[in-house]
Amino acid sequence: MRYPKRLSVLFGCLTALAISTTAQASYTQTRYPIVLAHGMLGFDSILGIDYWYGIPAALRRDGARVYVTQVSQLDTSEARGEQLLRQVEEIVAISGKPKVNLIGHSHGGPTVRYVAAVRPDLVASVTSVGAPHKGSKTADFIRNVPPGSAGETILAGIVNGLGGLINFLSGGDRMTTQNALGTLESLNSEGAARFNQRFPQGIPTTACGEGAYQVNGVRYYSWSGTSPLTNVLDISDGFLGATSLTFGFEANDGLVGRCSSRMGMVIRDNYRMNHLDEVNQVFGLTSIFETSPVSVYRQHANRLKNAGL
Ligand code: CA
């Protein structure tokens, strides 16, 4: 009589295991494809290295369909948004799904908001990660270079050259234009305020509140970090530590202030992450005292799935 009892316990365990494995296998299986949109000087991949380091593979492993897009490394939110919109239209045609879940990092945030504002019928959700919706103090600092000056021309030339190089290395469209001054125009506080007037969807109406959770049938979410220095082995921490000084006492991720990142439903605005940790860079070097950025994306895909998106 002992064996049947043990066997039933064993079968019970196996059934529980099978159920949990099945649940795990579809953990990130959203109804609509996930579309990733990079930030300033970003790309899809260079020499096989993802901008979203390890993130698309982790999302796909448990069921998500993921498309990684590439737009101009440097341009206005509107120009990048138009480029992204063309790609979203293609993805909708290819995938056979009527909508997409957009996720934008940094300048990718305003970029995905643009697409959702002009074509809400194609968008199930918009999520921004470390995005300067109300501008970046770093951009304001750079904007102190007098417009039209030789300094501005030289700086724009250098940055445009860098944008062109990244576009070339990532196999981007050769016709892609680089417009560093357009980026600066979109990411400084005054430019961001003008953009928000035209495209207010999901933007908090108070200085540091939450935005509408749903506008025109589109759900809005955001998260960000507030730790410029997170990993002594990461060469980018020095750069982000320096740029974070432009924020004074305001909590920031090195390039974007905590309040500026808030949009729609704020999932969290103070992860122990800097601006590059938010996309699991460089090469996965992030804080060992924080949830892996990859897990945060997986949890979000699960959140979208549970919301029927
Ligand atoms: Ca890092």
Side-chain angles (χ1 to χ4, degrees), residues 230-231 234 236-237 274 276-277 281-282 285-286:
T230 56
N231 190 313
D234 192 329
S236 68
D237 278 39
N274 64 33
L276 291 174
D277 293 339
Q281 293 284 9
V282 173
L285 290 174
T286 59

Side-chain angles (χ1 to χ4, degrees), residues 106-183:
S106 192
H107 198 184
T111 308
V112 296
R113 280 173 48 211
Y114 175 90
V115 174
V118 301
R119 288 298 304 276
D121 55 310
L122 297 180
V123 182
S125 72
V126 163
T127 301
S128 71
V129 182
H133 297 298
K134 294 191 173 172
S136 163
K137 290 256 167 55
T138 310
D140 291 347
F141 179 77
I142 296 169
R143 190 58 283 176
N144 288 330
V145 178
S149 67
E152 185 195 60
T153 306
I154 293 167
L155 190 62
I158 292 169
V159 179
N160 279 331
L162 185 58
L165 179 66
I166 290 169
N167 188 60
F168 172 75
L169 291 175
S170 60
D173 186 340
R174 284 194 310 175
M175 303 304 284
T176 303
T177 53
Q178 302 296 339
N179 178 10
L181 293 180
T183 301

Side-chain angles (χ1 to χ4, degrees), residues 194-213:
R194 280 193 293 275
F195 184 77
N196 292 344
Q197 263 181 347
R198 287 183 66 198
F199 308 107
Q201 295 84 355
I203 293 301
T205 51
T206 56
C208 203
E210 281 191 300
Y213 286 8

